[in-house]
Amino acid sequence: MTVEQAIEKRRAYRLLKPVDITDHILEQLSRAAQLAPSCYNNQPWRFIFIKTRHLLNKIFEALSPGNAWGKKASLIIVVYGKKEDDCVIKEREYYLFDLGLAVSAILLQATELELVAHPIAGFSPQKVKETTGIPGEYTVITLIIIGARDKNGDGESEEKRPERHPLSEIYYIDTYKEKNE
Ligand SMILES: Cc1cc2nc3c(=O)[nH]c(=O)nc-3n(C[C@H](O)[C@H](O)[C@H](O)COP(=O)(O)O)c2cc1C
């Protein structure tokens, strides 16, 4: 699969079915994150891969009600970090940016492995910390919900990719423009 194909194929599907989480999958996903770029090569990202059933069940309790679909996950990656582990250049705090780069690499690698990898913000970070033991100084940024796509559910409802802003609104050539200019 080319990068272009992975970018086109990746979707945040919610209808999931179980998948066997092999060592190969864990190695590929963690390697994708490891090789991501970061400010000054600080690598501020930290992850906990939760795959053991009773621990998955505990982390499910941290999901917001609207994310109950995530209880079909076979693997949840807890993504966390802290500002002090990365560049802070005046008002620019790079740890969130660098965590995002690592997560993006994980999502594309998961896509190539025929997995759904769906990042979410709807969860209780406090409950995640209680379950995992992540210390207070860290911020839990996202949970990546991982499974196989279940096309036998109501798959049609999520077939269509959510609308994107037109390209004319998100990039300009050579100079800044006001919207609608
Ligand atoms: C930081 C972040 C937080 C998100 N939080 C949620 C969430 O709590 N629940 C959910 O169902 N989807 C969540 N999503 C998925 C987005 O809704 C989804 O990526 C977006 O609608 C575009 O759809 P697509 O990824 O299938 O192209 C989140 C995505 C990101 C990047």
Side-chain angles (χ1 to χ4, degrees), residues 7 9-14 64 66-67 69 103 107 117-123 141-143 145 158 160-164:
I7 288 170
K9 187 171 179 197
R10 184 216 58 79
R11 285 287 315 280
Y13 292 114
R14 296 182 179 83
S64 304
N67 282 330
W69 55 268
V103 167
L107 303 187
H118 184 152
I120 61 162
F123 63 90
I141 304 299
T142 189
L143 306 181
I145 309 295
E158 45 178 25
K160 198 171 173 303
R161 186 188 290 277
E163 285 288 323
R164 294 306 203 256

Side-chain angles (χ1 to χ4, degrees), residues 32-39 41-45 97-99 101-102 105:
Q34 184 185 33
L35 293 184
S38 59
C39 187
N41 197 24
N42 279 325
Q43 306 165 64
W45 42 72
F97 182 85
D98 290 349
L99 261 63
L101 288 170

